[in-house]
Structures are given as C-alpha cells and as structure tokens.
Amino acid sequence: MGMVPHYNAESPMVQLVSFNKLLEHYDRQLNSGDEHLAERARYVLDAQAPYPELRDGFNDLDLLKKHKDVIGIILADTFSPVLTQNEIKTASTPFENLTFNSSERFKRILKDAGEDFELEIRNIPDELSYIMKCTVILSFYYGFKLDFKRPFFYDIPDANGVMHHYRILYNADFMEIIPTEQSKELTQDDVDELLENFENLELWKEKIPPNSFITKGFVISNMFDVTAEHSISEIKSTLIGRHKHAGEDFMESFQDTFRSLFKLKEIKVGFAGYDSNANHFFKIYGKGMESFILHGKDSEPCDSMLCDYSHGKLFRESKYFAISNVEKSLVRSNQSQPYKSLHEQGIKSAILAPISNNGELLGVLELVSNTVNELNSVNANKLDDVMPFIISAVLRSIEEEENLIDAIIQHECTTVHPSVYWKFQEEAKRFMADQLAGHQPLFKEIVFKDVYPLYGQIDIKDSSKERNLSIQRDLMIQLSEINEVLGRATQKYQLPIYEELMYRVDAYLDEVKEALYTHTEQAVFDFVKEEVDPIFKHLKKEDKELKGLIQQYESKIDETTESYYDHRRNYDDSVMEANMQLAALLDKKQLEAQEMFPHYFERYKTDGVEHNMYIGSSIARDRKFNKLYLSNLRLWQLQVMCDMENKYYAMKPHLPVKLDVASLILVYSTSLAIRFRMDEKRFDVDGTYNARYEVIKKRIDKSYIKGTNERLTQKGKLSIVYSQRKDEREYMRYIQFLKAKGYFTNNIEIVELEGLQGVTGLKAIRAEILYKKDKKSEQTYTYDDLMEELKS
C-alpha cells in the first residue's frame, strides 16, 4: 500500500474507489459467444457479488486491505502475471499517491527506495490540485475540452541512492463522474472566464464548488524509467539556464545529473579550461568547480599534463579518452601524467572528454570515480548525448565573458563617445564581413573631416607651487618631531651619535625651509629610512618613555607614502574634490548640449578639468550641419565655463586647501579633420596644418601678455583666445549679451599675447566673471535668445 493521500484538502470531487466500470465490462461478456470469456466473466462477477460496495464505491480505504484478494481477481486481466516482473504498473486513486495492486517490479522499486520514502508526483503544487481536478470535471462532465496535461513524474531513488525518474501515464477508462446537488450549470461564458483566470482559486470554487461531484472508479498508472533522457534534458536545461551558473548548487546538481545518467552514485565531475595561445590548461573559477587533472594548480602547460596518447586523443582526434584502471595505466606509461596526479588523488577510473568547437579545444570535462573500471570506454559513449549542450554552454559563457570584458574595457578605459559610436560600429561590421569573405580584414582608420574644434579648461592656479608648499610643510613637521625624540634621547644618554644626528636633521630643516627641490624631498626620505628609523627601532626596545614618544611619531606616518602626509593629503583631497564636482557639472550640462546638435565631446581631469569638442556634419551622420549650431555651442560653452567657475567658488570655502582657479577658451575658426589614434585610443587632429591647433592648445595657458610678465590666465577672469577679427566680434557680442544676463561685470579687456614657439598673432578677450550667490543662475541661454536680444 502506498501512502495515505491528503484527504483533508478541499476538493471539487468526492472520490470513491469503485470497480463498477470494469465490472460492467464483465457484465457484457457474460453473453459472449466465446465460452472462455463468458466463464472468466462469471468467475470475476461471482467473486465480487457478496461485496456490493466494490461496485457502489467507498472511501474507507481500509476496505482496500480487507478485500485485497477479491480486488486482485477483478484486476487480474489488467495486471497480467506474465508481465509483472517487467511492467512498472499500479492501480491508484486519481491525483493521489495512494497505490494498490501493484506489479512486482513496482513493489520492488518502492522497496529499494527505503522505508521512509514517500511517493509523490513531481510538479503538482497543492494549490493547483483543486483547479486541476476542476479541469478534469470540465472536460469529462461538461464536455469542454481543455488540455491541462503535463507529463507527470515520480522521482524514486534506487537501492544505491541514485535518483531514477519515472514518467507516469494514466489510464482513466474506469472512471465515472456524477454531479451532486451542489453542482452548477456552466455556460461557455463561464468557461471563458475560468480560462482567463487560471490562478484565481476563488473563482473556480464559485463555478465548481467543493464536493459538487462524485468520482467513482480507479486509474491504472503505467510508468517508464526515463532516467537517461531525463538526465540529458536536465543537463541541457541546467546549462541553458542563464543565471544558474553562479549559484552555490550549480555544480552539485550538475554532478547529481551525471550520476543519474551513468547510474553511478559516487562519480565526480570536474572541468579544466584550455588556453590555446599559451597551450595551458587553467582552473575555471566558480562555486564547487574543480579540476582533477590540474590537481589544485591554477594553470599548467599542456605538455606536462598529458602523455602523448592522451594528448593525441583529446587534441588530434577530439575524442574522449577513458582510463578504466588508473593504476595500470600509470605503470604502463612509466609514471607519466595525467595518471600520476589522478592516482595521487585516489582516483581509480576516469573519463576525460574534450570540449571542442570546430576542432578547437576549449576545455576538458573530467569524470572521475574511486572504483576501478566504473568509468570505461563503453559507458563513455553516454557522453555523446550531452556533449553538444556542454559545448554550446561553454561557447556561450566564453562569449558572455568576452562581452563582459569588452564592456569593462569600454567602460573603464576608453569609451567611444555616443556621437561617433555609429562610425565604429559600421567599421566593425565591415571588418567582420571582410573576415567572413576570407579576406585579411583591416580596421580602417576612423577620420571625421571638416569639423570645428572647441576647447576649454578650468585650471588650478599655481598648482605646482601649492603642491610643493604642502610637501614642504609636511617635511618640516616630520623633521621637527624627529628632533624632539632625539633631543630627549641626548638628554638621557649623552651619546654624541644622537647629537650628530640632530645636527643633520637641523641641516635638512634649513634646506627645506629655503625652497623645496625634488632631490631634497628624496634625500630627506632616504635619510629618515636609512639613519633615523634603525635608531628609533633600537630606542623603542631600550627605553619605555622614548618608546611612547616614538610610537606617537609613527602614528602620524601615512602607510602608503611612508612619510608625513597631512598638508599634502589636504591638497590632494581639495584637487580631487574640485575636479570631481566640476567634471560632474560639465557632464550634466553636456547632455543638454548634445540635444541641440550631436557633437563629439571628451573631457579629462588634470590639475583641473579640460574638454575638447568637435562639431560638423561628418559626425552627425543624418543631420544637416549649419554654422548656426557652432555659434550655439560656442555660446553654451561660455555659459558653462562661468557655471563651473561659480560652482568652484561656492565650494572653495569648504575645501581643506583654498586654491584658486583660472579659466580659458580657445577659439579656432577653421575646420579641421580629426583621426582616431588606435594606439592612444583617442582622437587628435589630422595633418600638419591642423597640428598648429594642438600646439596652441598645449602652450596657451603658460602665455604672457605682450611686453609684460603678466600671465594671461587670472583668477576671476575668463580668457578667450583667438586669432581672427571676426571671432573677436562674435565673442564680444556673446559677452555683452551674457553681461546683461548677469554672467560678467563691465571689466572686459582685449590683450595681445607674446608669440609662442612657432605661433604668433594670438589675441585674447579677458572678461571678469560675476559670481552669484543664489542657485537661480543655473539657467542657460540659447543662441536664439541672443538673436532676439540683438533685434530688439
């Protein structure tokens, strides 16, 4: 007898066990012309006659035990004794796991599963069972044909604990369904509503109330062992399931599936990846993943891991390679690999299977067992059914990894700006097409002709001076603290060596006070490391009081720079914070600018933030370029430079070191060509004539006003450098307009610049920026606003 079903659960049907429909079959046979059939029918009916409940139906399951023999007679024809050792068959109540009158083989299977094994159908959740029974009533009684059939399985372990899977096929010929008072008339509309609301249990209960039908009868379940097919499909779905790989139990369930496929409880599964460039096997990182041939190493050259025979099998023939007796093979191969490392791990038999695609080895699947001959060249053939899935999964994970790597590189190192991405895509597609056609593909240089450059920078004034100052202060404090310890030591111990050291510390102090040279910084660092540290180490051991003083000194030393890093940290933090905030503001504003007309944009952080922009029709592939868009971008750039200045001076009070900044824009009125430099992964201008632009850009912020030693860039002023008269007129218009909007003061001047190496004739407008206290200034004005203003 199987387990008792959940009779306490609510059900639309009252289930009665009855043999009525089968007995009716014998009723009809009484009148058969075939003497044997009629006699057989009479024998069955006579045996049942004293027990009317077997026809009327009962739900007292004890009766099944009580009438066991009679039931055996009634079912004898459906359960042929000849087939009982082979068929896996049982009579049961529908949808429940209650079985009776089972074939010998089914009884054996249940016995092997062990005492406490509970027979349960996989994949019918309790909450579905009510609705499932309703669908049966709808098709059996109401005649609405619904297909709710899903394959049902029993999962039953065998005597060795290997899980077997049995598919159940029901024969429900001997069931009848009878309505009770509670049952309702159902129309097609009702059924339509039910079909739309499969999940809505309440609705189903309303249309087909609990206990509104009586089912009489029994079902015959035929079962088939589908373990191998099931394992194959499990391996397939495990491998295809995208997100499972990362899970804790991926390897465990994978291993169990292989155990079922091979019907071996103790085998283990491993993987090793193969890198063809280096001809190495490598460990694959993942929860529970191990490699038995690598035996704990991260990577190993192939040749040292495989003997000629195994190498030939895996590489040349792409065939799996079974070692049914590791020990024998070890002796036969004269202690060579892979037998040696397998033997060391106590492995007695193994199968190594190449995971290869188009003859290219990607890795090795390893199956290992602690029993001789358990894995062998015969059962290795089982792998034929699963290798294609393993290969496609490996290919996919390689591809996913490559995509991930690409994405990381793209994100971390070189992002191709969205405005030019299309050109890179086109080129990559062409490259792929060339490759497919069998040509030698070449990634063509990406060039945009006829674009107008815009350049701007907001730079920290005197950054190197400020940096040196902070280092100088740190060094002076460090040297004074060293002196304090040495002074105390001299007092206590009167050793001339301490005095001599103090004298040298003082000398360094004087040198640092004067001015800071790079070599001074290094010299002090070396002196402390080589001369002071060993003495402090010695003093710490010798003297308690001095130990306290020295530990105090050491606690102020920064771990990464190994010296005082107090003022320098403040300087670094200030620069970093300023750069971060300014870059974020620029990036946010940039998004608005792209809306006006797509253009190339890049910015980088130096001692401040610089940006390059290029605009022209070759970049905006499907838009017609007009000079108006250039003017618009120029006006936008002016405003954003002022916004960044405002942002900085609003931040300045909160920064550890109060530095000043100065801003500059370079106006260039000729269009140029830009080329993407593959080696540097960035655009720069193309051609000799155009190179002049780059030269100006690099030297301009160091330039002086002609005939003076006054630097061009100054705090509180925006410098706009240009060489042509028309640019001067254009920018003066913008400045007048923005002055009216509260961006600049009246302090505006035009200056000439000293010639830079190879570049003369540059002039600049210097406009004093008006700093605003309120946040309202975030508004930007468009070129159209300017035009409106000029008309009025």
Side-chain angles (χ1 to χ4, degrees), residues 611-623:
H611 66 266
N612 282 313
M613 294 187 288
Y614 300 101
I615 188 168
S617 50
S618 58
I619 290 177
R621 60 204 271 210
D622 39 13
R623 303 239 341 231

Side-chain angles (χ1 to χ4, degrees), residues 11-13 95 128-142 144 146 148 177 186 194 198 201 203-210 212-213:
S11 164
M13 39 175 91
F95 314 117
L128 270 190
S129 102
Y130 190 98
I131 293 178
M132 211 178 89
K133 289 172 184 168
C134 287
T135 63
V136 171
I137 293 171
L138 279 176
S139 50
F140 261 89
Y141 176 74
Y142 289 106
F144 294 109
L146 301 182
F148 183 61
I177 293 188
L186 292 188
L194 287 171
F198 181 69
L201 183 58
L203 181 70
W204 286 85
K205 281 187 175 169
E206 179 202 318
K207 305 275 187 211
I208 304 176
S212 56
F213 285 83

Side-chain angles (χ1 to χ4, degrees), residues 243 499 547 609:
H243 305 296
E499 261 187 271
K547 183 180 177 181
V609 178

Side-chain angles (χ1 to χ4, degrees), residues 326-336 339-340 343:
V326 170
E327 215 158 331
K328 260 192 191 161
S329 300
L330 183 62
V331 176
R332 209 180 308 137
S333 71
N334 203 353
Q335 303 287 319
S336 71
Y339 316 108
K340 200 165 163 224
H343 183 61

